[in-house]
Amino acid sequence: MRLPRDLHPVAWWCWAVGLAVGASCTTNPYLLGLLLAVATITVFACRGDQPWARSFRLYLWLGLVVLVIRVLFRVLVGGNDAGHVLLSMPEIPLPDWAAGISLLGPFSREELLAAIYEGLRLATLLIAVGAANALANPKRLMKSMPPALYEVGTAMVVAITVIPQLADSARRVRAAQQLRGGERGRGHRVRSVRRLLVPILEDAFERSLSLAAGMDARGYGRAGTATAGQRRSTGALMILGLIGICVGVYAFLDSTAPRLLAWPMLALGLVAALAGFVLAGRRVQRTRYRPERWHTTEVLVALSGVVVGAGLWLVQRGEPLVAHPGVLAVPELSLVAVVAILVGIAPVFVAPPPLTARNRAPVAPEPAEEPAKVAA
Amino acid sequence: MFELREVTFRYGDRPVLDRVDLAIDHGELVLLAGPTGVGKSTLLGVVAGLVPAFTGGTLTGDVVIDGESVLDRPARERAHVVGYVGQNPPAWFVTDTVEEELAFGMEQLGLAAPTMRRRVEETLDLLGIADLRHRDLRTLSGGQQQRVAIGSVLTTHPRLLVLDEPTSALDPTAAEEVLATLTRLVHDLGVSVLVAEHRLERVVPFADRLCLLGAGGQLRVGDPAELLVDSPIAPPLVELGRLAGWSPLPLTVRDARRRTADLRARLGPPPVVVPEVPAPESTETGPEVQVRRLLVTHGSVPALRDVDLSLTPATVTALMGRNGAGKSTLLWALQGRYSATRGTVRVAGKDPHRLKPDARRRATGLVPQSPADLLYLETVAEECAAADRTASAAPGTCAGLLERLAPGIDPAGHPRDLSEGQRLALAVAIVLTAGPPVLLLDEPTRGLDYPGKHALAEILRGLAADGRTILVATHDVEFVAQVADEVVVLAEGEVVSSGTVRDVIAESPAFAPQVTKVLGPGWLRVDEVAAALASSDPTAAEVPS
Amino acid sequence: MSAVDQRVAVPLRLRSAVVLGLASLIGLMMLGWPLLLEADPTQRVDPPFLFLGLLPVILAVVLAEISEGGMDARVLAILGVLSAVNAVLRGVSAGTAGLELVFFLLILGGRVFGPGFGFVLGCTSLFASALMTAGVGPWLPFQMLVAGWVGMFAGLLPRRVSGRWEIVMLVAYGVLAAYAYGLLMNLWGWPFILGIQVPGQDSTDLSYAPGAPLLENLHRFVVYTLLTSTGGWDTGRAITNALAIALLGPAVLTTLRRAARRARVERRGAVSSRDVAGPTLP
């Protein structure tokens, strides 16, 4: 039996990034549609009842908006190549500064399809990220931040905790400010914002200082064990790594640079930077209460994402016509591509049921107390 | 085990602590007392290592734990020995659920996960909060929050627990819970506790030793009963003991009650209940505030049910009850922010909820629980000028009121830098500038010491003498005994008793002030006893009250 | 508030500055790749999705470096609070056309607490608001980077300007930052939104054309950004920024400076002696 629990947030992100990589490898509308279906089914099957789980709809809308914008732009500034014209509109040439560009003009079926294919790819990418957002608990994600980002992670935890307090504070200050009346005359609106903002900020800062004192008194930021030498090597690795990435990115963009500087340099730089990053995390000794564990389920979910990504990448390499079909013919499918995408639905069968208000509640109240209450 | 040696601390050239020596042994409960603003929090901060790192200032002397100087170590490096719980625990919470909050300190110390798990369970049981483990911290009551805050430092197994005013924001029941927890820690675990508190009557019975911090920064340490003989701050019980000439002073009501036979004989019958104010009916026609069968709901949850209330001019009425009993809701309903779901609210004959904001302000003045919410300008003078403008009052009205309420506030000072009492006075002055005949105050005594409360009581009595109608929500029984004519007690949104102070207190011993608890119904305040003694025995009148 | 404090809350060490500079350079290349890429016009060019994965890593390295050696609890708490306020401001103003208040507090915060803090605040603000308002997406790391620059340059503005001139300077910077942010984010989104010209397939006249001369692409981009954003969002953002800084700036600066005074990090050397040169309370 699968007990309800939250899956490790990183596993969900691995899965989603796999889907996103897969989406970025193809413009085949059938494949993209299949990917969308996989992401959507998984979200609806595996999400909990937390507020972030509801955000998935927003991403679906966003995907649609991206698609529509893409098409509208095509209509507005589309080229005027021949094709099956769907819509003929007058062509409006722009003034000199935009020489060569004209608005509107005839709109062909080929243009529409090209816009939709490209737009669908971007929309699928967004929705894959949206799926991770809906499935992974952001607070737990913050808690599984690597040690080097502990400070920033803690600041984020503080921010997430402070937001509801700010709302309380705003409500209180608004009510209180009504007790002393508003200024009249010019600019009173601005002054009323200021009357709200200043006490809320003062309140928030006072709170933040006592929070800081509290954290300090409870041992936050105890001196680590890193020696000066270790810290120097951390810094050196980070700087060297970044230089490597810098050169790599440049060579990647400039095709005249030797190829040796592109991918190998990029990879080398990344490894050095990550090593520095890991080393930076060594400086402090902290532990996690109830650490997020990485079980078999997590491995399977993450792997399913990897399969989708890698599979479609191979399709792009091996079967370019399947990955990027032209707009003149009906796109083709291949068994490899379909199977690779279908692997992405594995979490529906593997992942534990999500925690919800019902199964999170404490086990039924002890029966002994019930009759006593009734009697009273 | 823990020592302060010749600790001197100053902000700029203002001395706060002057050659303080203090040694705390294993399993001791030491109470730190002193007037507001003398530096109790500073002393606790020095112990925890937060002063001067968080405040600035100059510290000399030495702080020693187990024979080793820790002066140079910041608070975080003392966290495994000293557990510090500051004022206002909600502002201290880093995480948002009980269990995570308990674990935060241990995570910082790098304890192993199984150890953390075990200690969290132990602490949950020790503090009796196991059923709250997954709760959101913001949904807890004040007493529960305080216990979680204590638990969050206990998990690192400190040997000294330092608490800054742990019960000042709590109602009597919640305060009892917290104090019971503290005594359990001292007795069962041998933890030493250093606690600062200005409501001495709550903690003195539990204290092994008392430290009195004077205005010059000198610290006197000793047996509570001896030190309190001439302490400038004293709970009513001690004042009574001094008046009666008892030695040693009684520290618990039970202790005092056993010695009252002689005092009762000298006192004679309790003072006759005479209306202390001229009959209000003569100056006004009928009550200023009338509430009939009021029902107020927040969403679908009723906050007030069938409340009847009438307030007459020139009286001070106290509104009492547990935290969350609906006191604030009633005040805001009288102000007009909340509408009556059913029933009627009439202030000077009108429904305040229907009034325009301006008219509301002229009808009732409300001072909210955190008076700082009202303040948004950079200097006191600007605040006063803005209050005059918005109330269309003559320039200087607010400043004049402020000078009457709290003389000597620097008009160029930043409102946020004022002391608790001064800030309250400023808020009251701003609210009164519009000239409302009804004044409502929500928990005004928070953070005030005995002299501060005396001063506030005088101010309120003075305002009532001007003919204002005053309603004070508070759970400070002693303050009620000083200031109020009438009491209304709310529970779960319903009025459970109301009437004159004497009547209500005679009916419910839980709300009785210490003097009543000792001498029985009829006696409320120490000054009544003093007056009675003076009339029956002239020599006793020399004892200052 | 006339006396502007010279010290800042998160001092930027030379090493951190180098890391930040390198990362900024990489970020700039990743944003402006369509203008830099030298491609064969006959080949299909896909948007470099690689960059979407690479930038988060670079940001993580920069943030780790800036907070390396520990971030003071007070600075951290203020960082958390300001990020939360910023996230709320963004959430509140997101729905109202063009009225984005994102930068207002970021600029003031960077000004008071310094470039290092400004950079981190820009990153954390955008991240927190993204978590709150479903804004996590491939654009997020780039938004974080650019917002970080906005905060960082606010911290690098001349410190000696004070009083009314300080507000004038910040307003001008706010307008500039609003347009620069819009421009850079447009540069990022351009190839994704309009697509890339693919040989054999047609595309819009404004799409990025790989292999075309730099000026040609720049031209297309400028027209694209003028058409889409400059008239609307960017100008709205600039006006909102300017108004917010001009009208609320003085009061908020006072508040921030009060907080900064209390959050000042004492250097280790000063703490170890028994005499801390801290702020004197009144």
Side-chain angles (χ1 to χ4, degrees):
Chain A
M1 189 196 149
R2 289 180 295 166
L3 292 174
R5 69 182 177 96
D6 273 337
L7 202 69
H8 198 297
V10 174
W12 280 127
W13 275 99
C14 282
W15 170 81
V17 167
L19 258 59
V21 168
S24 70
C25 288
T26 177
T27 51
N28 186 327
Y30 297 140
L31 293 182
L32 289 172
L34 201 57
L35 268 175
L36 277 179
V38 164
T40 313
I41 291 171
T42 312
V43 168
F44 282 102
C46 300
R47 70 175 170 180
D49 58 352
Q50 300 316 60
W52 54 85
R54 289 196 288 271
S55 68
F56 187 66
R57 267 196 14 215
L58 284 177
Y59 282 89
L60 288 179
W61 278 111
L62 198 65
L64 190 66
V65 166
V66 163
L67 201 61
V68 170
I69 286 182
R70 199 83 188 226
V71 172
L72 283 182
F73 258 107
R74 213 48 191 264
V75 173
L76 187 68
V77 287
N80 14 354
D81 321 67
H84 303 75
V85 175
L86 292 175
L87 200 64
S88 40
M89 283 168 292
E91 205 168 323
I92 308 167
L94 282 187
D96 279 352
W97 53 266
I101 289 160
S102 56
L103 300 181
L104 299 174
F107 187 58
S108 66
R109 193 178 74 193
E110 287 73 17
E111 277 186 281
L112 177 69
L113 284 181
I116 288 182
Y117 288 7
E118 290 279 322
L120 200 58
R121 168 160 80 167
L122 193 58
T124 312
L125 196 90
L126 293 185
I127 290 168
V129 174
N133 243 331
L135 292 169
N137 181 336
K139 275 196 304 208
R140 295 170 62 130
L141 186 66
M142 287 301 107
K143 287 213 276 169
S144 26
M145 278 253 193
L149 286 183
Y150 183 83
E151 279 85 6
V152 179
T154 312
M156 294 312 301
V157 170
V158 170
I160 294 173
T161 317
V162 162
I163 286 173
Q165 290 173 359
L166 283 176
D168 289 350
S169 175
R171 215 170 299 132
R172 224 183 52 227
V173 171
R174 244 173 71 92
Q177 291 288 346
Q178 294 219 332
L179 298 172
R180 62 176 296 189
E183 304 248 353
R184 280 170 222 118
R186 264 182 37 205
H188 69 102
R189 265 170 195 282
V190 174
R191 257 174 273 162
S192 67
V193 173
R194 174 184 162 170
R195 297 172 52 152
L196 204 58
L197 200 60
V198 170
I200 294 177
L201 276 182
E202 288 277 0
D203 203 46
F205 283 133
E206 253 161 50
R207 227 171 232 282
S208 78
L209 270 188
S210 47
L211 177 66
M215 287 168 66
D216 208 278
R218 283 157 65 187
Y220 167 82
R222 278 163 85 96
T225 49
T227 61
Q230 269 175 325
R231 294 187 52 189
R232 266 199 301 278
S233 51
T234 309
L237 274 175
M238 281 182 174
I239 291 179
L240 284 177
L242 285 181
I243 291 176
I245 296 178
C246 209
V247 172
V249 168
Y250 179 78
F252 180 80
L253 294 175
D254 182 1
S255 49
T256 55
R259 288 299 84 194
L260 192 66
L261 285 182
W263 285 104
M265 201 63 179
L266 209 56
L268 215 64
L270 199 60
V271 168
L274 283 178
F277 185 73
V278 170
L279 210 60
R282 288 274 172 82
R283 72 193 134 86
V284 275
Q285 289 180 321
R286 274 189 218 93
T287 44
R288 283 280 174 215
Y289 176 69
R290 298 206 182 187
E292 305 284 335
R293 297 213 185 274
W294 193 265
H295 296 286
T296 331
T297 323
E298 271 83 355
V299 175
L300 289 178
V301 168
L303 266 185
S304 69
V306 171
V307 169
V308 175
L312 286 177
W313 187 72
L314 286 177
V315 169
Q316 185 193 22
R317 274 300 171 90
E319 303 168 279
L321 273 181
V322 174
H324 300 289
V327 287
L328 297 172
V330 178
E332 294 170 37
L333 286 178
S334 77
L335 188 66
V336 183
V338 173
V339 170
I341 293 176
L342 284 181
V343 170
I345 207 147
V348 174
F349 307 102
V350 177
L355 282 173
T356 57
R358 198 176 311 154
N359 58 28
R360 199 186 299 110
V363 202
E366 281 154 48
E369 276 179 20
E370 284 304 293
K373 257 186 212 155
V374 174
Chain B
M1 157 216 152
F2 187 94
E3 273 181 87
L4 295 177
R5 290 184 190 155
E6 298 242 319
V7 167
T8 301
F9 180 76
R10 46 179 70 240
Y11 283 129
D13 42 2
R14 188 170 71 91
V16 180
L17 300 176
D18 184 16
R19 288 197 299 279
V20 165
D21 282 304
L22 174 64
I24 300 172
D25 261 334
H26 286 289
E28 239 191 335
L29 198 157
V30 181
L31 171 62
L32 175 63
T36 309
V38 291
K40 295 194 292 288
S41 298
T42 307
L43 179 59
L44 298 189
V46 169
V47 171
L50 294 170
V51 173
F54 273 74
T55 57
T58 314
L59 179 69
T60 54
D62 206 358
V63 181
V64 177
I65 297 176
D66 293 333
E68 189 189 347
S69 168
V70 293
L71 188 71
D72 294 341
R73 289 202 210 152
R76 49 188 174 269
E77 304 293 339
R78 301 183 198 175
H80 58 293
V81 191
V82 181
Y84 178 79
V85 181
Q87 291 181 23
N88 190 14
W92 287 67
F93 292 145
V94 186
T95 62
D96 51 7
T97 67
V98 173
E99 233 181 284
E100 286 169 8
E101 190 64 25
L102 292 184
F104 179 79
M106 293 189 290
E107 290 181 342
Q108 305 308 314
L109 299 189
L111 298 182
T115 317
M116 288 200 266
R117 194 78 192 75
R118 194 180 65 239
R119 286 198 190 172
V120 164
E121 293 305 320
E122 285 169 5
T123 311
L124 286 172
D125 282 341
L126 186 69
L127 301 182
I129 49 178
D131 48 339
L132 306 176
R133 63 189 325 153
H134 294 301
R135 281 273 294 278
D136 185 339
L137 289 168
R138 291 187 310 134
T139 63
L140 301 182
S141 73
Q144 290 168 334
Q145 283 180 337
Q146 189 71 55
R147 278 186 287 165
V148 173
I150 294 174
S152 71
V153 301
L154 272 185
T155 46
T156 59
H157 286 192
R159 281 178 296 150
L160 175 66
L161 197 57
V162 179
L163 301 117
D164 199 353
E165 314 234 337
T167 69
S168 63
L170 303 182
D171 60 52
T173 334
E176 291 294 331
E177 283 172 10
V178 170
L179 288 172
T181 305
L182 286 186
T183 30
R184 177 126 51 102
L185 293 179
V186 170
H187 287 211
D188 294 359
L189 300 185
V191 177
S192 316
V193 175
L194 174 62
V195 52
E197 183 60 71
H198 60 236
R199 284 164 87 166
L200 291 182
E201 68 265 23
R202 285 178 174 172
V203 193
V204 161
F206 302 100
D208 294 313
R209 278 192 303 157
L210 177 68
C211 307
L212 271 182
L213 192 57
Q218 281 92 5
L219 187 74
R220 289 162 60 206
V221 187
D223 180 60
E226 286 167 21
L227 271 186
L228 283 173
V229 173
D230 58 348
S231 144
I233 47 154
L237 188 65
V238 168
E239 285 184 30
L240 186 70
R242 286 184 198 163
L243 204 58
W246 288 329
S247 175
L249 283 172
L251 296 179
T252 62
V253 170
R254 185 164 161 265
D255 210 7
R257 212 181 272 144
R258 280 160 42 195
R259 295 194 237 168
T260 48
D262 148 65
L263 183 64
R264 273 175 206 273
R266 278 155 67 201
L267 277 176
V272 194
V273 184
V274 280
E276 291 172 10
V277 281
E281 283 78 8
S282 59
T283 52
E284 288 277 337
T285 51
E288 184 75 23
V289 174
Q290 271 283 5
V291 175
R292 285 279 162 269
R293 306 188 59 77
L294 174 66
L295 173 77
V296 174
T297 53
H298 296 318
S300 61
V301 185
L304 293 174
R305 284 181 238 211
D306 287 337
V307 170
D308 288 319
L309 178 75
S310 70
L311 305 177
T312 41
T315 53
V316 177
T317 309
L319 186 59
M320 301 189 73
R322 257 175 247 122
N323 290 344
K327 302 194 292 289
S328 296
T329 308
L330 182 54
L331 294 190
W332 284 100
L334 294 182
Q335 188 268 337
R337 180 177 162 208
Y338 295 142
S339 65
T341 309
R342 212 173 51 220
T344 56
V345 179
R346 291 284 175 274
V347 175
K350 297 193 189 92
D351 181 354
H353 188 64
R354 298 260 171 83
L355 293 178
K356 291 220 167 81
D358 263 358
R360 267 189 212 170
R361 283 191 289 276
R362 279 196 302 275
T364 53
L366 192 153
V367 180
Q369 219 171 67
S370 47
D373 290 348
L374 283 175
L375 312 174
Y376 62 98
L377 291 165
E378 273 103 67
T379 66
V380 173
E382 280 176 48
E383 293 278 7
C384 287
D388 291 338
R389 271 200 310 281
T390 54
S392 317
T397 312
C398 179
L401 278 167
L402 181 62
E403 185 60 27
R404 212 187 109 195
L405 298 178
I409 294 182
D410 175 16
H414 197 290
R416 298 259 165 184
D417 291 335
L418 298 178
S419 77
E420 206 76 47
Q422 290 174 327
R423 216 182 297 170
L424 179 70
L426 178 58
V428 173
I430 288 173
V431 162
L432 285 182
T433 308
V438 179
L439 180 64
L440 314 166
L441 296 108
D442 201 353
E443 296 286 352
T445 57
R446 194 179 268 194
L448 297 184
D449 58 3
Y450 294 106
K453 284 182 207 167
H454 275 297
L456 179 64
E458 302 242 320
I459 288 172
L460 294 184
R461 300 281 353 153
L463 291 173
D466 294 348
R468 287 203 171 82
T469 312
I470 296 177
L471 181 64
V472 189
T474 180
H475 36 61
D476 190 329
V477 182
E478 307 296 338
F479 179 68
V480 171
Q482 277 173 33
V483 76
D485 306 302
E486 312 251 332
V487 180
V488 175
V489 181
L490 282 181
E492 306 245 294
E494 292 173 70
V495 174
V496 288
S497 60
S498 70
T500 63
V501 174
R502 268 167 230 285
D503 292 346
V504 170
I505 280 170
E507 281 168 17
S508 45
F511 281 113
Q514 286 189 319
V515 176
T516 312
K517 280 182 182 160
V518 173
L519 292 176
W523 300 98
L524 276 183
R525 299 190 298 266
V526 179
D527 57 345
E528 288 173 355
V529 180
L533 280 182
S535 59
S536 68
D537 176 9
T539 54
E542 288 160 20
V543 181
S545 64
Chain C
M1 63 166 276
S2 55
V4 177
D5 211 308
Q6 301 283 323
R7 296 174 294 175
V8 292
V10 182
L12 214 49
R13 290 164 300 165
L14 180 65
R15 200 178 104 187
S16 306
V18 169
V19 168
L20 192 51
L22 277 172
S24 298
L25 189 64
I26 299 175
L28 213 53
M29 285 200 286
M30 288 183 176
L31 279 168
W33 67 268
L35 304 178
L36 301 173
L37 183 66
E38 294 192 16
D40 180 359
T42 57
Q43 272 193 332
R44 179 192 176 88
V45 171
D46 273 317
F49 292 101
L50 164 76
F51 291 170
L52 302 186
L54 206 54
L55 192 61
V57 177
I58 289 166
L59 273 187
V61 169
V62 174
L63 290 178
E65 165 59 34
I66 291 181
S67 60
E68 205 268 349
M71 199 185 267
D72 185 87
R74 283 166 292 179
V75 175
L76 185 134
I78 288 184
L79 184 65
V81 166
L82 279 181
S83 310
V85 176
N86 253 336
V88 169
L89 282 179
R90 184 157 179 237
V92 167
S93 58
T96 47
L99 286 175
E100 278 203 76
L101 284 170
V102 197
F103 290 147
F104 148 66
L105 203 56
L106 173 58
I107 291 174
L108 297 181
R111 168 78 184 156
V112 172
F113 294 100
F117 185 91
F119 184 83
V120 181
L121 179 63
C123 295
T124 51
S125 298
L126 275 260
F127 192 71
S129 68
L131 283 186
M132 234 183 71
T133 56
V136 180
W139 57 80
L140 180 61
F142 292 88
Q143 284 182 330
M144 285 166 67
L145 179 73
V146 180
W149 286 338
V150 171
M152 181 178 79
F153 285 114
L156 289 174
L157 292 174
R159 300 243 128 226
R160 294 183 28 211
V161 184
S162 68
R164 187 176 299 164
W165 285 111
E166 182 181 24
I167 297 298
V168 172
M169 177 179 76
L170 290 175
V171 167
Y173 177 73
V175 171
L176 195 73
Y179 281 114
Y181 178 85
L183 200 70
L184 288 172
M185 287 318 293
N186 266 341
L187 187 56
W188 176 80
W190 175 44
F192 289 95
I193 295 283
L194 282 195
I196 297 170
Q197 265 187 4
V198 179
Q201 281 179 26
D202 61 349
S203 63
T204 69
D205 284 347
L206 292 184
S207 295
Y208 166 55
L214 170 68
L215 272 180
E216 163 70 21
N217 270 325
L218 194 62
H219 182 230
R220 285 168 173 233
F221 171 65
V222 169
V223 174
Y224 163 75
T225 196
L226 280 178
L227 275 180
T228 54
S229 325
T230 311
W233 287 324
D234 285 356
T235 304
R237 190 189 288 132
I239 293 175
T240 324
N241 269 344
L243 279 180
I245 295 175
L247 299 171
L248 301 174
V252 175
L253 274 179
T254 316
T255 307
L256 289 176
R257 292 210 160 105
R258 272 170 57 74
R261 193 153 37 100
R262 289 178 294 177
R264 183 90 53 225
V265 185
E266 318 296 347
R267 287 293 96 210
R268 276 299 148 82
V271 175
S272 63
S273 86
R274 287 171 193 182
D275 189 273
V276 176
T280 48
L281 292 193

